[in-house]
Amino acid sequence: MKTLLILRGLPGAGKSTLAKHLLLHSVNAKELSLDLFIEQFGYHETMMKEWSNELKEKCEFYMQNEVELIIYHGVNAQGWSYTPFLDMAKEHDYTAFVLIVENFHGGINESVPVLKWNKMQEKFKIHL
């Protein structure tokens, strides 16, 4: 079954850790994450839109090539940030899941400024 797994949560929740674990135990899987850009270039608010567009292009490519499991992580508060991926999943006949990851391990993400993290927390919504 072709699956798109979207992992949501605040910085430091464990989305990337869970994604890495799932990738280790999957044969035909790929990951998509803004975290990969942030790790390489640092946190730059002005680059987020450009990096997001690159991830959308990669996702489209993976779906066209029928990658069995696509894990999109590093996503947090707002539905608009992952809605295009849900639309792509529908278009390419992927089953999509959105999972919320919570921080029970005490990890922190120091790459996101505290004020930005606080704003993310305020905007975090659960869609029922």
Side-chain angles (χ1 to χ4, degrees), residues 10-59:
L10 293 169
K15 300 174 299 295
S16 297
T17 302
L18 176 58
K20 302 273 186 249
H21 178 77
L22 294 171
L23 288 165
L24 282 174
H25 299 283
S26 302
V27 176
N28 184 12
K30 296 290 185 183
E31 72 176 316
L32 300 165
S33 178
L34 285 172
D35 289 355
L36 301 173
F37 291 102
I38 293 169
E39 288 169 10
Q40 186 174 358
F41 303 110
Y43 183 85
H44 298 285
E45 184 76 30
T46 57
M47 295 300 295
M48 292 301 180
K49 186 173 183 175
E50 180 180 328
W51 293 340
S52 293
N53 288 335
E54 287 186 43
L55 292 178
K56 289 174 197 165
E57 290 174 12
K58 273 189 181 179
C59 187

Side-chain angles (χ1 to χ4, degrees), residues 10-15 100-108:
L10 293 169
K15 300 174 299 295
I100 296 174
V101 180
E102 296 184 18
N103 183 343
F104 288 98
H105 56 77
I108 59 169

Side-chain angles (χ1 to χ4, degrees), residues 72-125:
Y72 178 38
H73 62 98
V75 181
N76 73 79
Q78 301 173 39
W80 62 263
S81 66
Y82 59 85
T83 299
F85 295 88
L86 294 174
D87 293 341
M88 271 190 263
K90 196 177 292 184
E91 179 184 329
H92 292 279
D93 199 30
Y94 273 71
T95 301
F97 298 94
V98 179
L99 301 179
I100 296 174
V101 180
E102 296 184 18
N103 183 343
F104 288 98
H105 56 77
I108 59 169
N109 183 335
E110 295 179 8
S111 66
V112 178
V114 174
L115 291 175
K116 180 66 177 172
W117 193 94
N118 289 339
K119 285 182 183 179
M120 290 174 166
Q121 184 180 25
E122 289 172 12
K123 292 179 181 179
F124 193 85
K125 295 186 181 355

